[in-house]
Amino acid sequence: MHSVFRGKHFIDLEDFNKEEVDTMLEASFDLKKKFAMGVPTPYLQSQTMFMMFFEQSTRTRNSMEAGLAQLGGHAGFLDSSSMQIAHGESAKDTAIILSRFGHAIACRYCNWERGNKYLNEMAQWSTVPIMNLQCDLYHPFQALADLMTMKEKIGDLKRVKVSIIWAYAESHKKPISVPVSQVLLFPRYGMDVTLAHPKGWELPDWVIEKAKANAARYGGTVTITDNEEEAYRGAHIVIPKNWGNWVTDQTGAALSGATKVIDDKLIANRSWKCTEAKMAIADKDVMYMHALPADRNNEVEDSVIDGPHSIVYDEAENRLHTAKGVMTLLMGGR
């Protein structure tokens, strides 16, 4: 077990070695067990965290806010539109001041080519941990909760086939951060990762290179395909989720973030939907996962997400426990 975490930033899981990620999981499992037993865990008594949101949130905001309360601290919600950021205050000034007021700063900023840069600028100046609640490139809390859920359900993940599959959605051009974090993390646990998407929805080349390097080091594999059936066939876990084609297409980019974009290229791939028929060609015990919110009847049929193979609510619950695990290690510890 690695035990030196206090004060570190949590922006990308690639910043932590496998032993450190394992420790995060161990802490999360311990906190989940104590939560189930009603055992108090006041590990961050009287500590304060500031949560800055540039976009909407359900699971992320509430898992962090409830989690810190259960650890004995307080998380304050900050809508960026009501902060002086809206009048042009810099990331530097915001980070310096908020870090003098409390013990951690968490931020969600998914705007393409802005979010990750903003988080790293805050990290440069903050004297307390900066935690990434999702940016344009990474969603470390989600990937960690996904990994925890898989280990709960399966145990040893070596040779497990997990398929990260692009799915059709009409709500908006979603960030690539969820599949990026997943394709980087899962090979580190020896999984056989298949990344499937239509042409035009590629992830950055550097992501695929790092994912394949992780696979080579830890005994996993990474397969890239534009064949949806190949991804479903024999899969133990499927994660069909939409992401925008930000890498190859800037349509819809705006200062306010991702905007709703339905064009001919998107509609041409409407068949990329998780259905019972596609689930039937996967492993007989296949599990369906999604970070939520799912675009029901576009990304997935109700009969799948509400069916016996779906573990989305267990996955969502683990956002609470992994949030508590990470906060305890980075804000407490030694």
Side-chain angles (χ1 to χ4, degrees), residues 8-262:
K8 289 187 176 183
H9 301 303
F10 187 73
I11 295 175
D12 174 13
L13 282 168
E14 288 289 293
D15 295 333
F16 297 87
N17 63 38
K18 188 173 179 295
E19 184 182 353
E20 291 170 326
V21 177
D22 287 342
T23 302
M24 292 175 186
L25 288 173
E26 289 173 27
S28 301
F29 277 115
D30 181 63
L31 285 159
K32 183 172 185 177
K33 182 178 180 180
K34 286 183 169 67
F35 184 68
M37 296 170 64
V39 176
T41 53
Y43 301 142
L44 301 178
Q45 196 75 41
S46 301
Q47 291 205 29
T48 300
M49 178 172 64
F50 302 101
M51 301 190 302
M52 298 167 51
F53 283 87
F54 288 77
E55 288 92 14
Q56 300 84 355
S57 176
T58 298
R59 279 148 294 278
T60 298
R61 173 185 174 178
N62 289 290
S63 61
M64 300 294 288
E65 195 165 332
L68 189 50
Q70 291 164 21
L71 294 170
H74 171 74
F77 172 76
L78 299 171
D79 182 337
S80 66
S81 67
S82 64
M83 297 174 67
Q84 294 298 346
I85 293 167
H87 292 155
E89 185 168 34
S90 68
K92 172 184 176 180
D93 293 349
T94 301
I96 291 173
I97 296 302
L98 290 183
S99 63
R100 291 191 182 190
F101 286 171
H103 304 85
I105 303 169
C107 180
R108 166 170 284 187
Y109 193 1
C110 298
N111 203 344
W112 181 247
E113 296 187 330
R114 291 186 177 87
N116 189 258
K117 291 176 182 176
Y118 188 91
L119 281 160
N120 278 288
E121 186 176 353
M122 284 207 300
Q124 182 182 348
W125 296 102
S126 174
T127 56
V128 299
I130 298 293
M131 300 190 194
N132 183 1
L133 301 182
Q134 188 178 18
C135 67
D136 51 329
L137 296 180
Y138 307 112
H139 198 347
F141 279 109
Q142 182 64 53
L144 190 64
D146 292 343
L147 182 64
M148 179 181 182
T149 308
M150 293 174 182
K151 289 188 76 68
E152 276 183 324
K153 303 295 183 183
I154 297 175
D156 185 359
L157 298 176
K158 286 188 182 298
R159 314 308 334 162
V160 168
K161 179 178 178 180
V162 56
S163 293
I164 302 163
I165 307 168
W166 183 91
Y168 177 83
E170 297 182 349
S171 53
H172 65 279
K173 284 184 72 170
K174 300 181 183 183
I176 64 171
S177 43
V178 170
V180 166
S181 290
Q182 291 169 337
V183 80
L184 290 172
L185 178 63
F186 298 165
R188 297 169 74 183
Y189 285 80
M191 304 181 79
D192 293 325
V193 180
T194 296
L195 176 67
H197 54 74
K199 292 178 180 177
W201 274 266
E202 292 79 13
L203 298 184
D205 290 340
W206 60 264
V207 171
I208 305 306
E209 290 170 8
K210 288 179 75 173
K212 289 185 174 181
N214 287 345
R217 180 175 180 183
Y218 294 104
T221 61
V222 175
T223 302
I224 314 297
T225 182
D226 60 5
N227 185 323
E228 190 182 15
E229 182 177 328
E230 179 185 345
Y232 278 96
R233 190 163 300 282
H236 302 102
I237 299 166
V238 295
I239 313 176
K241 183 190 179 301
N242 179 260
W243 63 84
N245 51 350
W246 291 109
V247 181
T248 57
D249 184 356
Q250 295 303 299
T251 305
L255 286 175
S256 58
T259 59
K260 183 175 180 179
V261 176
I262 302 175

Side-chain angles (χ1 to χ4, degrees), residues 163-169 228-229 231-232 235 237-242 269-282 286-290 294-307 309-312:
S163 293
I164 302 163
I165 307 168
W166 183 91
Y168 177 83
E228 190 182 15
E229 182 177 328
Y232 278 96
I237 299 166
V238 295
I239 313 176
K241 183 190 179 301
N242 179 260
N269 292 290
R270 200 165 191 160
S271 65
W272 284 68
K273 175 180 181 177
C274 185
T275 64
E276 287 195 65
K278 292 171 186 174
M279 294 286 284
I281 67 173
V286 62
M287 288 174 276
Y288 167 87
M289 298 178 69
H290 194 292
D295 192 341
R296 286 172 175 257
N297 295 312
N298 282 321
E299 286 182 305
V300 59
E301 291 178 341
D302 282 347
S303 58
V304 173
I305 193 171
D306 294 327
H309 295 284
S310 176
I311 56 171
V312 295

